[in-house]
Every structure is written in C-alpha cells, then in structure tokens.
Amino acid sequence: MSSFPGDVRFSVLDRSRTREGEDASRALRETVRLAREVEALGYHRFWVSEHHGVPGVAGSAPTVLAAAVAAATSAVRVGTGGVMLPNHRPLVVAEQFGVLESLFPGRIDMGVGRSVGFTDGVRRALGRDKDDAGRFGEQLAELLGWFTGGQTAHPGVHARPAEGLRIPPFVLATGEGAAVAAAAGLPLVVGDLRGRDRLLAAVDAYRTNFRPSRWAAEPYVAVAGTVAVAATEEEARRLLVPEAWAMAYSRTRGVFPPLDAPERIEALAMTEKQRGFYEAGLRGHVHGTEEQVAEALERAVEQTGAREVLVTTSTYDREALSASYRRLARAVGLRPRTLPEGPADRTLPVRPVGPTRPEQTPDNG
C-alpha cells in the first residue's frame, strides 16, 4: 500500500492523557502499555511529554516516565517530546539523561523545547516567567556542554554520568525555536500538520540556516501531528472529537480537562464560542482510512522533505487508539518486531522484556 521512501521513520509521542473518571496512575500505566504495543508494531521511537498542573495530563516528569517505558521495552528508542528546558537547570537535565543513557545504552533520545508553564500560577510555582523562554538558546548551549565537557558557565563542575555520553538531542519548536535548532546544528521536530504554510516556512528557514555540528552533519526534520486511522473516514473523524472538545473547553474555561467520550461531547449544549473552537479543532488533521491516510502522509513528507513523522494522537477510547496505530503501521509499511518474552512485572500492567541491546545502525538517532 505504501510508497514511502525506505528511510522515512514513524514514531509516537504519548501525552499520558487522562480520561473522564480515571486517575493519573491509570493514564501513566497505559502510556507504558502503549509503548509496548507500538514497539511490536515497528515504530522507531516512543516519546513522552512534560506538562505541569494540567488536570487532563498525567505526564509531568518525562524523564521519570521515560525510565519506566525503557524498562518495559527492549528495541524502540525512548525519549522526551520534550523536556521544557526553561523550566529546569541544564545541569539537572543533563544528569537525568546521563542516568537514562547509562541504564539503557543506545536507546535514549533527548528532546527539548522552549515552552514555560501553562499558567501564571504554574510558572510561579516553577520559579519561572514567560521571559525565560527567551534564554532557550543559551540554556541549550549549556546543556550540550555538560555532555561534551565544554560548558563554561560553571568552571570546574562536571555532569555525572552525562559527560562523555552521546545522546541524540532534538529541538521541538517553530519560529524562533527552529532558528535556535539551526544555529546549534540539531535535528528539528516541528508541527503541526494542520498549519502547512507555517510548517513549510519553519522547515525552509531551518534548512537554510542550518550549521553542521558534532551532533548532526546535515538538517534532520521530523514533522509532528495528529493522525487518526479507522475503517471509515467518519469513524476516524470521531477519534478527533475528545481532544477537539478538550481544547475548546480550555480556550473558554481556562482548564484543560480529561478526555470524554464522543457521544457525550456531541450531546453537549456548547456556547457559540465553544462551538467555533471545537469545529476548528476537528479540521485539518490527517485522518481517514488506511489508503487516505497513507496518501495524505506521503504528500506531507514530499512537501516537507521530512525524514520522520511523529504521531501525537489522543482520543478517549484506548482500544480505538491502539487500532489506529495498528492501521497506520500497515498503511505506511512498518515491519513488526518479534520481541522476547519475560516475567510479568508487578508494578506496571505490561510484560517487560529481557535486557537485550537494540540493533545498532550508523544513524539510529
């Protein structure tokens, strides 16, 4: 079915979204379970995100969650999409990734972004303000310096066990953040697929201004966005309903809620403003049957020249989400992995595998 170039990768970012009536523990455990599923399907990476003080998102500590994911998997690359660098001291971030890479050598990615807390209250609790995002380039340089041993902000201080380790870094950004990625010579993760003109402008500027570095000899672009696949286009569209309503609710109420069932959302009496945000949230995403989605993604890859597609789908029905990832894997021609089996884990509802090392390639970042 697929005519994608053989070197185009497909990966997953899961935000650990909670569902109406469930607690954060369930959402986090389901993230680990989903990682096992997409690993078996042949996806290249599985990343987790950082959100603070958001009722509908359980993933507030991405490096901790990445450790759980890496412990429950054996072949898929594991990383963050991303650690929001303005919220943290670069030394601490380097130490955390140094520990991850030391525990799971050859499988860890370090995705970082420039966003700060979601609200003024969260930013105050983090000891940050909006202006801290403007120091992202400086913080990024310091972070990379902790790994190379070349940081100069704190003479005589070394990040252990990070120093000397080579962990692939990625910048999640558009606009100014993409410019920082180009100047630093780092791979770029850019989205979303709905705003194609803005996306193409960011990618073009990144490629034009890219400067080769010890981390990347040439530009590397991963495009991120929601992709929903089902038996029919209408069924795929319904997968978009819970997240579209959550965004509309947050834009009008100031709180990002847990995901709810499509049938309950469709029965709501929305205000005119909410309806507008809701309908906008349903438009432009890649969704449909396997054939429709494959064609749409082929166009996106051709337009952007992306080497990778990072899928960030959230929906209420977990089985429908898993089915969407299975259909997508078939649509783009992923090869399933045969994974070793291990004893049941008593702390997570997954079955971890033995400590096998992943296949190494010259470009497995």
Side-chain angles (χ1 to χ4, degrees):
M1 178 186 302
S2 171
S3 59
F4 283 96
D7 61 348
V8 174
R9 296 160 167 168
F10 288 84
S11 300
V12 172
L13 166 64
D14 189 68
R15 294 188 173 90
S16 300
R17 295 285 275 112
T18 58
R19 274 65 171 172
E20 187 65 37
E22 76 174 25
D23 60 14
S25 175
R26 170 79 185 276
L28 294 169
R29 292 167 185 269
E30 289 290 343
T31 289
V32 178
R33 182 194 61 78
L34 181 62
R36 287 282 290 156
E37 285 189 2
V38 302
E39 176 183 50
L41 290 170
Y43 287 89
H44 184 62
R45 313 179 200 278
F46 187 91
W47 282 5
V48 295
S49 64
E50 174 183 337
H51 296 275
H52 298 283
V54 180
V57 182
S60 58
T63 54
V64 177
L65 184 52
V69 169
T73 56
S74 63
V76 70
R77 295 191 64 85
V78 176
T80 54
V83 167
M84 296 299 116
L85 199 51
N87 293 336
H88 309 279
R89 299 295 300 180
L91 170 61
V92 175
V93 175
E95 290 172 336
Q96 291 171 344
F97 278 97
V99 170
L100 281 170
E101 175 66 17
S102 298
L103 290 172
F104 309 102
R107 293 180 56 212
I108 300 300
D109 300 322
M110 183 174 65
V112 297
R114 64 187 296 270
S115 297
V116 291
F118 185 62
T119 65
D120 289 339
V122 169
R123 287 190 288 271
R124 286 194 297 270
L126 291 169
R128 300 292 185 264
D129 58 44
K130 290 182 178 180
D131 294 339
D132 285 315
R135 298 181 53 245
F136 177 64
E138 174 188 338
Q139 292 177 309
L140 181 62
E142 181 184 335
L143 173 64
L144 298 177
W146 289 116
F147 290 95
T148 64
Q151 68 83 26
T152 58
H154 305 280
V157 181
H158 300 271
R160 311 292 188 198
E163 188 171 311
L165 297 180
R166 188 174 180 85
I167 304 171
F170 296 78
V171 172
L172 286 72
T174 57
E176 184 178 342
V180 171
L186 298 182
L188 174 70
V189 181
V190 59
D192 63 39
L193 290 168
R194 291 186 297 173
R196 198 62 55 88
D197 290 343
R198 182 183 179 192
L199 174 65
L200 292 175
V203 168
D204 288 344
Y206 164 73
R207 288 202 174 96
T208 298
N209 298 305
F210 183 86
R211 296 189 302 192
S213 70
R214 70 172 65 198
W215 304 101
E218 60 185 24
Y220 185 98
V221 174
V223 293
T226 294
V227 180
V229 196
T232 68
E233 185 175 358
E234 180 57 31
E235 288 178 30
R237 185 182 184 277
R238 293 198 84 228
L239 295 179
L240 306 174
V241 166
E243 187 75 9
W245 168 244
M247 291 298 295
Y249 190 93
S250 70
R251 296 287 297 274
T252 55
R253 298 290 186 88
V255 176
F256 198 71
L259 297 174
D260 208 346
E263 57 270 20
R264 290 198 288 268
I265 293 169
E266 291 166 342
L268 291 173
M270 301 182 191
T271 67
E272 183 177 351
K273 190 174 184 180
Q274 286 175 334
R275 177 67 63 179
F277 284 131
Y278 170 69
E279 294 292 345
L282 292 172
R283 290 194 294 267
H285 296 294
V286 175
H287 72 284
T289 64
E290 292 179 30
E291 292 81 2
Q292 290 172 322
V293 165
E295 291 175 2
L297 290 177
E298 285 171 9
R299 287 195 300 271
V301 168
E302 182 179 3
Q303 290 174 338
T304 61
R307 296 277 305 279
E308 186 167 349
V309 177
L310 181 67
V311 183
T312 63
T313 309
S314 297
T315 195
Y316 177 81
D317 186 332
R318 296 187 187 280
E319 176 49 39
L321 179 62
S322 294
S324 178
Y325 281 123
R326 291 194 296 270
R327 291 178 183 275
L328 177 60
R330 288 197 301 266
V332 301
L334 297 187
R335 290 187 296 177
R337 292 185 177 97
T338 300
L339 302 173
E341 295 186 2
D345 189 292
R346 294 183 180 179
T347 60
L348 293 169
V350 296
R351 186 168 57 191
V353 298
T356 57
R357 289 292 301 276
E359 179 182 355
Q360 299 294 308
T361 67
D363 182 19
N364 68 354

